[in-house]
Amino acid sequence: MTRHTIVRVAARYVSGRPLDGRSVREYPYLSRGAGRWPGWQRQAARLGVPATAATTAYAATAYTDYTRAAGVTLAVVAARAARRRWARRRFRRAYLSPTLAALSVPLGGARVRLHVDPGLGTLMPRLAKPLSPAEVAVRRWYGQRVEPVLRWPVDRAMRAWWTLQRACRPATQRLAVFRRPGAEDTGPRIDLTIDTPYLTDEQRKLVSSIVRSKIPAGELVESWDQVGASVSARWTVRRRPPSRVGLAELLAALPKLAEWEFYLGASVGEVPVILSLKDDSPHIAVSAGSGAGKSVLAQLVAVQVLARGGRVVILGRKGSHRWALGLAGVDYCHRPEQMHQALIRAARVADERNTLAMHEADDWDPGPRTLVICEELNATIGQLTTYWADTRGKSDPKRSPAVTALGELLFMGRSAKINVLAIAQMLTARAIGGPEARENFGVRCLARYTANAWKMLVPEAAMPRASRTLGRWQIVIGGVATECQVAYLTRTEARAVAAPVHMSAKDPDGPLTSDVHVDVDTITLREAADRGVIPWSVGAAQKRLQRDREHAPTPCGTRGRADLYRVTDLIEWVSGTLAPYAGDAS
């Protein structure tokens, strides 16, 4: 039986041991053990509190003026500490205690340690209560009269510290090579440690559901670590890509890319998102709601193809790509008959290139790359089918040759360097020609998506919350989704990027069905309609010229009975006429 003599109790008090003489193994000096504090903290409290009280009592009698000033200062510090302690108490009662109580049941009573940063999301603002007029007046008086006085020495100290850091920067930069990289600052987070060696998938899902329900901190990123004797989990705030990416970022990345690589934008930390039509997939599927920026993404890929001397075939009736009007190497097809012929020709070129590749070396280059942009594929397939049903003869096949050609491009376009960029609000298998054809799209881009669209196109990837930020896309490659802010180019910037490389009219593949070459300066309205310079028929264009005499281009000559117009004048007139409807393009 332990004897409690005065000497032994005094020794225990001074050394920081438990006063009842319990074992040192249970209550060690450096760690907490079974007690609330380690031994050294108990020792500091036992010796420091009496010493502080005695010093304060002596100073109060010997130095009255200084004691009064120190008392006021200590009172202010104590009041602020009590306020912070009260806020932490409310925080624990609102979030930590209910969460720990809910976790105790599924974890079978295992010891759980939970840390939640108060700065996470809107946790602290949720606890705020409306202020009365008196409280508002007191806070205003405090902010105007007291806070500046208290902040002044702190601000001066920080400015002096910053000045010292700038003075020492040359030396600290040289010493940086000896500094070991530390853990990345994750910012505000939720840390959970469970004293159990393993949790099943069902238990982890239940724990995650409890934490997200009891601590409403918004969208979080979850990570688990089950290595060792305990299981730990962390929830951090999801980092976002930059809010805007434009021409400067594209021009900086373009010289570093190979011919088959394309810059799409920036992800978290301004890391460039690069797409490879050689390694990732030869074709791109774009699925997004109206107004999400589908045509902006297609424009970005198209200008990079044109800048490298390639060709672009645009199938679309909306006029979303007016930036491409009049550019060399662009086949802008806005009528069903133009789309029909363009797809058949592209399939024929792909077949010829694949036939030639059989007798060439493995690294043989079949020619300039061709990008086929299928705008609003849900409607385009129907238009092609209807056009063929109205024009085919009795001996012609029932299936539209253009739809068949599109399917052939999807299956043999990789080796022929002919790539398809399919755009649709809902890229169903029926819209693209069947589920086997849709499987050729290894790169899938989604924005403003629904749960049904995500499950249909990329069920193998976890679905993040859809962003309402314009230009924010999820680029899914190989089941991995990367959040990307797509680079936005104005019409002038797009033409400037695409214009440096002009294609020759003597290209071995021949001219496209509606190419507008830079060497053709003047054309008739019929030629302009056939080549895609104007998005209307000849009759509709003539009526618009009659109604819009103030802004209509002036004829610069005649060819027979037809008036001749400069291509640049027609492009400027079309751009000005369609400008009020620019918001309709997605």
Side-chain angles (χ1 to χ4, degrees), residues 505-574:
K506 298 181 180 180
D507 192 283
D509 290 333
L512 294 171
T513 57
S514 59
D515 274 343
V516 180
H517 298 286
V518 293
D519 57 343
V520 180
D521 186 45
T522 58
I523 56 177
T524 65
L525 283 181
R526 184 171 299 279
E527 292 172 341
D530 293 338
R531 296 172 180 175
V533 178
I534 56 177
W536 313 294
S537 63
V538 178
Q542 291 174 345
K543 291 181 179 179
R544 287 178 177 270
L545 288 174
Q546 295 174 1
R547 292 196 301 262
D548 191 16
R549 295 184 181 277
E550 182 179 356
H551 303 93
T554 304
C556 60
T558 58
R559 183 186 299 163
R561 296 183 178 181
D563 292 331
L564 289 175
Y565 297 89
R566 292 186 178 87
V567 174
T568 55
D569 293 344
L570 288 174
I571 293 173
E572 292 179 0
W573 175 58
V574 171

Side-chain angles (χ1 to χ4, degrees), residues 244-438:
R244 182 176 176 83
V245 181
L247 179 63
E249 291 78 7
L250 172 63
L251 295 181
L254 202 56
K256 306 174 185 177
L257 303 179
E259 187 274 337
W260 56 85
E261 294 179 334
F262 296 86
Y263 175 82
L264 296 185
S267 63
V268 175
E270 299 187 357
V271 177
V273 178
I274 308 300
L275 167 66
S276 173
L277 294 179
K278 179 179 180 181
D279 301 327
D280 298 329
S281 171
H283 308 298
I284 307 170
V286 178
S287 177
S290 179
K294 300 186 291 292
S295 297
V296 173
L297 177 58
Q299 175 202 67
L300 180 63
V301 179
V303 297
Q304 297 178 65
V305 172
L306 294 173
R308 296 163 179 168
R311 295 171 173 265
V312 175
V313 180
I314 303 176
L315 313 180
R317 302 197 65 177
K318 294 196 312 179
S320 302
H321 297 277
R322 293 188 298 276
W323 63 272
L325 294 176
L327 285 179
V330 176
D331 185 10
Y332 205 145
C333 307
H334 58 89
R335 293 199 297 270
E337 57 269 25
Q338 292 178 330
M339 302 179 191
H340 182 90
Q341 295 297 331
L343 285 174
I344 293 176
R345 173 174 174 77
R348 186 183 304 119
V349 172
D351 183 63
E352 293 174 357
R353 290 183 175 184
N354 286 326
T355 302
L356 293 175
M358 296 290 293
H359 308 284
E360 301 291 344
D362 293 339
D363 57 348
W364 176 68
D365 187 2
R369 185 177 300 277
T370 299
L371 177 68
V372 180
I373 300 176
C374 301
E375 279 276 358
E376 298 299 342
L377 198 59
N378 302 90
T380 300
I381 295 296
Q383 293 170 4
L384 292 173
T385 303
T386 303
Y387 168 76
W388 179 246
D390 295 339
T391 58
R392 75 180 185 90
K394 294 183 179 181
S395 59
D396 294 330
K398 293 184 178 181
R399 181 180 173 86
S400 170
V403 177
T404 303
L406 178 60
E408 293 176 355
L409 290 176
L410 294 177
F411 285 102
M412 64 180 182
R414 178 192 291 271
S415 58
K417 291 179 63 176
I418 297 182
N419 311 105
V420 177
L421 194 154
I423 302 175
Q425 292 191 7
M426 181 69 76
L427 193 62
T428 60
R430 183 178 60 182
I432 197 61
E436 64 279 358
R438 192 173 62 183

